[in-house]
Amino acid sequence: MHLSRPSARHSRRWLALHAAHPHFVAWPWRGPGGIGTVRSIDPLPPLLSSNRTEPLMLMQILLHTPKWVFAVFVLLAWLGGRQLVANRLGLNRVLVMPVAMAGLSFFGVVSAFGDSAGALLGWAVAALLLVALVLRRPLPPTTRYDAAARQFEVAGTAVPLMLMMGIFFTKYVVGVSLAMHPELRHHVAFALGVPALYGAFSGIFAARAARLWRLAAASGAMVSGARAA
């Protein structure tokens, strides 16, 4: 049996039902060779239709985020906020923070891309590049090292807070993106850009600590020279 295409009047009625009620998604049409079949009348393309579910997926991910993630955010915000004002830092404290942040960023790369050689290489290259660049910049003129107390006097800065938030939100956004679109880990731009971003954060942290240690070494040499004189 051959099925004819509905008239324009019937099409308008069907579109009205589409907007207000559960609706038809196909109409009969005559295919090649006169074989009766159906044809979609849903105006939404498949990609747009699937995208309507993404806000629901995102909401579910946010609602099921473990509470310890928010605890980590509060801790990092507190640690970074302490750097906004001038303070004194010991040698050990200067070293611990870059090591911890480098470990967190490295874990972000491994958790997203596993032991991918390309991702790990991208992380390392970006870190080394930023270390070299930041080491060329001088310390703020107000930075001092007290050799007797083995402490630094540093001015307040927002850089540590921004770096910590950068690592945290990169880790979170990448995790959410991969949960919604697992195929992203195979895209070249994503697989190279994310590790490079993590590496840049780690490199800046490491270089800032290295500059302080370099100041301590220079101050210790000057004190030793003065005592010898």
Side-chain angles (χ1 to χ4, degrees):
M1 181 179 66
H2 299 298
L3 299 176
S4 61
R5 187 185 182 100
S7 65
R9 179 169 60 86
H10 288 167
S11 297
R12 287 194 295 270
R13 291 176 61 187
W14 285 3
L15 290 176
L17 288 171
H18 182 287
H21 304 288
H23 56 278
F24 300 104
V25 295
W27 62 30
W29 74 304
R30 182 172 301 175
I35 301 174
T37 181
V38 294
R39 181 179 181 182
S40 172
I41 62 171
D42 195 329
L44 291 177
L47 180 60
L48 183 58
S49 179
S50 64
N51 286 344
R52 290 185 297 181
T53 64
E54 291 191 359
L56 297 178
M57 293 176 60
L58 181 59
M59 182 61 66
Q60 289 298 317
I61 291 172
L62 292 175
L63 291 176
H64 290 86
T65 298
K67 291 182 174 57
W68 64 262
V69 174
F70 300 103
V72 171
F73 170 78
V74 172
L75 175 62
L76 293 178
W78 176 72
L79 291 173
R82 294 182 60 185
Q83 310 301 315
L84 294 175
V85 297
N87 55 68
R88 296 174 66 88
L89 303 174
L91 282 171
N92 292 334
R93 183 177 169 188
V94 168
L95 180 62
V96 167
M97 186 58 66
V99 171
M101 291 298 102
L104 182 60
S105 70
F106 184 80
F107 172 72
V109 174
V110 173
S111 63
F113 304 100
D115 58 354
S116 169
L120 298 178
L121 180 62
W123 178 84
V125 169
L128 292 175
L129 180 61
L130 266 295
V131 166
L133 291 176
V134 175
L135 282 178
R136 298 178 62 181
R137 298 177 59 86
L139 285 167
T142 57
T143 305
R144 298 285 186 273
Y145 177 66
D146 184 347
R150 297 172 61 85
Q151 288 187 328
F152 297 95
E153 296 179 4
V154 296
T157 174
V159 173
L161 177 60
M162 291 189 294
L163 293 174
M164 293 178 191
M165 293 297 99
I167 293 175
F168 176 85
F169 283 112
T170 299
K171 177 74 171 67
Y172 191 83
V173 171
V174 169
V176 171
S177 299
L178 290 177
M180 298 177 66
H181 303 285
E183 70 278 3
L184 282 176
R185 61 170 44 90
H186 302 298
H187 291 191
V188 175
F190 189 85
L192 293 180
V194 170
L197 183 59
Y198 276 127
F201 290 140
S202 301
I204 296 173
F205 254 121
R208 287 171 56 84
R211 290 191 307 176
L212 292 175
W213 275 81
R214 187 168 59 184
L215 173 64
S219 299
M222 291 177 61
V223 169
S224 299
R227 288 176 178 174

